[in-house]
Amino acid sequence: MTAAVSMVLFPAAAFDLDWAHATLSAQGLEVAAAAQGLQVRWDEDGPVLRIAFVHGAQVAREAAATAAGGGYADALRGCDARFEIAIDDLDEALDEMNTLIEVQTTLQEGTGGFLFNDWNGELSPNPSSD
């Protein structure tokens, strides 16, 4: 079974895993360093979300492909970084969606980026940029 992935796409600027760790911790989430990034959960009984930071030309090409033909193509062309939120059990994460929503919202608002969910193909801009 492949993990579901939610991505926050943005221009690299000053964002990285250290920033994500501090920002998510400030929201009251349990954040721990992991081999490939961070592990985040709301409490000990909630689902664990794995967060990785990826940046570079490949990310910019993938972001442009994600937006191809859509209304956000120009804005996404400048996105050369992303936080990948890997979800091992999507049903569990959606059943207890507070953790997922808090992580997505915190990272999206903090970076001013776009949110993309691979399980439904939904791409959304930062609500505060409207």
Side-chain angles (χ1 to χ4, degrees):
M1 177 184 200
T2 304
V5 178
S6 181
M7 295 182 273
V8 176
L9 304 138
F10 54 93
F15 306 108
D16 58 16
L17 283 175
D18 290 335
W19 175 87
H21 190 291
T23 303
L24 293 167
S25 295
Q27 295 299 315
L29 294 159
E30 294 179 13
V31 183
Q36 301 282 323
L38 302 173
Q39 288 187 340
V40 180
R41 66 186 335 164
W42 192 274
D43 59 37
E44 63 189 43
D45 295 332
V48 174
L49 305 177
R50 294 176 286 112
I51 299 175
F53 175 68
V54 183
H55 61 93
Q58 179 64 26
V59 174
R61 285 190 297 275
E62 292 169 358
T66 297
Y72 305 118
D74 288 340
L76 277 167
R77 211 169 275 118
C79 294
D80 60 350
R82 69 179 175 234
F83 287 113
E84 296 176 352
I85 306 164
I87 306 158
D88 291 326
D89 186 337
L90 182 59
D91 290 336
E92 177 188 22
L94 294 176
D95 188 47
E96 192 289 297
M97 69 174 50
N98 291 337
T99 304
L100 179 58
I101 290 172
E102 188 68 30
V103 169
Q104 289 172 324
T105 301
T106 299
L107 295 177
Q108 185 180 22
E109 288 180 356
T111 62
F114 288 80
L115 178 67
F116 177 76
N117 296 317
D118 76 345
W119 61 88
N120 63 7
E122 185 176 316
L123 176 66
S124 21
N126 184 336
S128 64
S129 66
D130 291 342

